[in-house]
Amino acid sequence: MPELPEVEVVRRGLEKHLVGLHFTEVEVLDSRPLRRHVGGPASFVDQLVGRQVQAAVRRGKFLWLVLDDGAALTAHLGMSGQLLVHSGLEAEHFNHRHLRVRLRLEGSTVLHHVDQRMFGGLAVVDMVPTSDGFPGGCGSQLNAIPVTDTHVARDVLDPYLDKAQVIGRLQASSRAIKTQLLDQGVISGIGNIYADEALWAARIAGARPGSSLSKAKLKLLLQSTGEVMQRALAQGGTSFDALYVNTEGEAGYFARSLEVYGREGQPCSRCGRLLRKEVIGGRSHVRCPNCQRNKQG
């Protein structure tokens, strides 16, 4: 599933190509990705045609387009969702067996929603004020968020994240620190890939309870998470297959720079010990048994 860097890459592409344009036609080829939209396909089309895209916004892994009537077009990429932007002849000739929704905008711009497994989807929803009064997410100064996403915490790259509050929540819990990192209600945008990478960078074993970590160690963990994600962004995110691509259909290259994720049995680049894979709360975790010890200290 795409994590913060991958979704941010997509957001930037949507911002570049769609902001300022109006939807002129919406063609629903498969209604299943619209299962979260109240009213069905006809309502979805009716609420989009004629609307202008004012901003492309992201909070954590969650993405939406702000519309000029105060609503939002939310897009959850799920496991395999793609938002591809084409124009001109390329748009007219685009064909994909997993194409679900075609959204035409002014000029010759077309947004194609492609999804193989369809765990994600699209929906037009109302927006509500943010609980803290700050902007809803990256890409807009509007202090509003889709009503369906109010449960999503701020992410580590959000300038309005209250890091002291997050550290307090992490330290107050006896849950494994990796489990807490994956909790989108505590801090959003982090999945298996970047949790493992950040924990390795901070020299913390994912199984350690948050309550066993000092405030200084947790501050380092948040810092390491942000740094890892910034490096991933610079390389277009992490692609292991053709399912994650940006709006131009290009893959990211951060997989070449991963230190631990997917590298169990290989030597740690820091100390040379073989990396070990374990399971925490039903999720896999790869760590260095030397650099990331399962004991306090």
Side-chain angles (χ1 to χ4, degrees), residues 100-160:
R100 310 302 180 185
V101 184
R102 180 183 289 114
L103 304 99
R104 298 183 184 277
L105 295 98
E106 291 172 299
S108 61
T109 300
V110 182
L111 174 64
H112 291 109
H113 174 64
V114 173
D115 199 345
Q116 177 178 332
R117 301 175 184 173
M118 290 191 290
F119 289 113
L122 306 174
V124 179
V125 303
D126 292 333
M127 298 189 73
V128 295
T130 53
S131 60
D132 57 13
F134 294 123
C138 176
S140 172
Q141 288 300 303
L142 185 67
N143 61 337
I145 189 170
V147 66
T148 52
D149 297 341
T150 55
H151 65 289
V152 182
R154 293 191 179 275
D155 59 71
V156 72
L157 298 186
D158 191 325
Y160 299 100

Side-chain angles (χ1 to χ4, degrees), residues 70-91:
L73 170 59
T74 62
H76 196 283
L77 300 180
M79 295 294 293
S80 59
Q82 299 175 357
L83 295 173
L84 305 174
V85 180
H86 301 95
S87 61
L89 290 176
E90 182 183 37

Side-chain angles (χ1 to χ4, degrees), residues 27 31 45 65 75 87 94 188 203 222-224 247:
E27 183 180 1
S31 63
V45 173
L65 299 178
S87 61
F94 179 79
S188 65
R203 298 175 180 257
L222 292 185
Q223 178 183 326
S224 298
T247 55

Side-chain angles (χ1 to χ4, degrees), residues 44-96:
F44 181 79
V45 173
D46 183 62
Q47 291 185 53
L48 279 181
V49 173
R51 299 273 63 83
Q52 183 189 51
V53 178
Q54 295 192 327
V57 190
R58 176 199 55 74
R59 178 185 282 210
K61 308 175 188 179
F62 293 77
L63 180 68
W64 65 90
L65 299 178
V66 177
L67 306 177
D68 60 354
D69 63 350
L73 170 59
T74 62
H76 196 283
L77 300 180
M79 295 294 293
S80 59
Q82 299 175 357
L83 295 173
L84 305 174
V85 180
H86 301 95
S87 61
L89 290 176
E90 182 183 37
E92 294 305 316
H93 293 119
F94 179 79
N95 189 26
H96 194 290

